[in-house]
Amino acid sequence: MTIHITGDAHADEVLSDSPFALLVGMMLDQQYPMEHAFRGPAKVLDRFGSIEPATIAAADPAEFKALCSTPPAIHRFPGSMAERLQTLAAIMEEKYGGHTERLWTEATSGADLLKRVMELPGFGKQKAQIFTALLAKQLDVRPDGWEKAVGDYALEGYRSVADVTDTASLQKVRDYKQQKKAEVKAQAL
């Protein structure tokens, strides 16, 4: 299945072709517009020549940080995200032999998959739930109990990047998030 999150055909192709790129896009999706975050892996590939975990993990940290910071940067905090990306790459290499898809293909249940994702740098429970839902909804990765593990992110609708399949759905997710923020703000008054 082809991923359509970024609104950029090349960036979406990188996400579709590389499980690591998809994981990196999700890692970058914080304090930054989601479509820009998910374009980050294509920027790394285009500038560095690889999106392979072993190559990224072995890169000179200063040089890697510089290429991630080159405008347009991979994130609004490119230095810290470059470091986190190299750490994530090293984990994928050491724990999964560089085969990111093993993160989910070897999961024994939805709860196990969620736990595995939560062990990664930059993945708290909510982000891990969203990534697990993205795998289920867009890549048909559905270990037993995935719905329970991801909670409301398993429901139909437009709650997160897991539900983005085109520009219209991206806008619906944005609208949903703005509505939720407004509700929280109203409750705080």
Side-chain angles (χ1 to χ4, degrees):
M1 177 180 257
T2 303
I3 302 291
H4 296 284
I5 294 173
T6 69
D8 175 277
H10 171 60
D12 284 338
E13 182 180 342
V14 171
L15 297 173
S16 299
D17 291 349
S18 167
F20 185 65
L22 188 61
L23 183 64
V24 169
M26 189 73 223
M27 182 200 74
L28 294 172
D29 187 16
Q30 66 179 58
Q31 300 180 342
Y32 199 52
M34 76 179 79
E35 69 274 22
H36 294 290
F38 279 89
R39 287 179 194 148
K43 292 174 187 174
V44 171
L45 176 62
D46 293 346
R47 295 171 190 176
F48 187 61
S50 177
I51 193 68
E52 292 303 314
T55 309
I56 291 171
D60 175 87
E63 290 176 16
F64 191 73
K65 190 179 210 178
L67 81 85
C68 289
S69 301
T70 301
I74 66 163
H75 193 273
R76 74 185 263 209
F77 303 114
S80 60
M81 288 301 172
E83 291 173 19
R84 187 176 286 173
L85 200 166
Q86 283 195 286
T87 301
L88 181 65
I91 291 168
M92 287 301 113
E93 189 59 27
E94 292 163 14
K95 194 166 183 177
Y96 299 101
H99 298 279
T100 302
E101 66 277 6
R102 286 179 52 202
L103 179 68
W104 51 87
T105 60
E106 295 176 0
T108 58
S109 66
D112 182 44
L113 176 54
L114 184 67
K115 179 178 135 310
R116 288 165 172 249
V117 177
M118 286 176 61
E119 292 171 349
L120 302 174
F123 284 85
K125 184 176 182 183
Q126 183 180 26
K127 186 183 280 195
Q129 286 177 312
I130 293 169
F131 187 70
T132 301
L134 186 152
L135 292 172
K137 290 181 174 184
Q138 298 205 29
L139 299 182
D140 206 31
V141 173
R142 298 174 177 213
D144 288 341
W146 76 269
E147 298 99 331
K148 183 178 180 188
V150 304
D152 285 352
Y153 295 109
L155 301 174
E156 292 295 317
Y158 301 95
R159 289 172 170 72
S160 73
V161 70
D163 303 306
V164 175
T165 56
D166 56 24
T167 24
S169 58
L170 173 64
Q171 187 57 50
K172 289 177 183 178
V173 168
R174 277 200 198 320
D175 294 343
Y176 176 81
K177 286 182 173 190
Q178 287 177 346
Q179 175 191 346
K180 287 295 178 192
K181 284 180 184 176
E183 289 172 9
V184 168
K185 191 175 182 180
Q187 289 176 354
L189 296 178

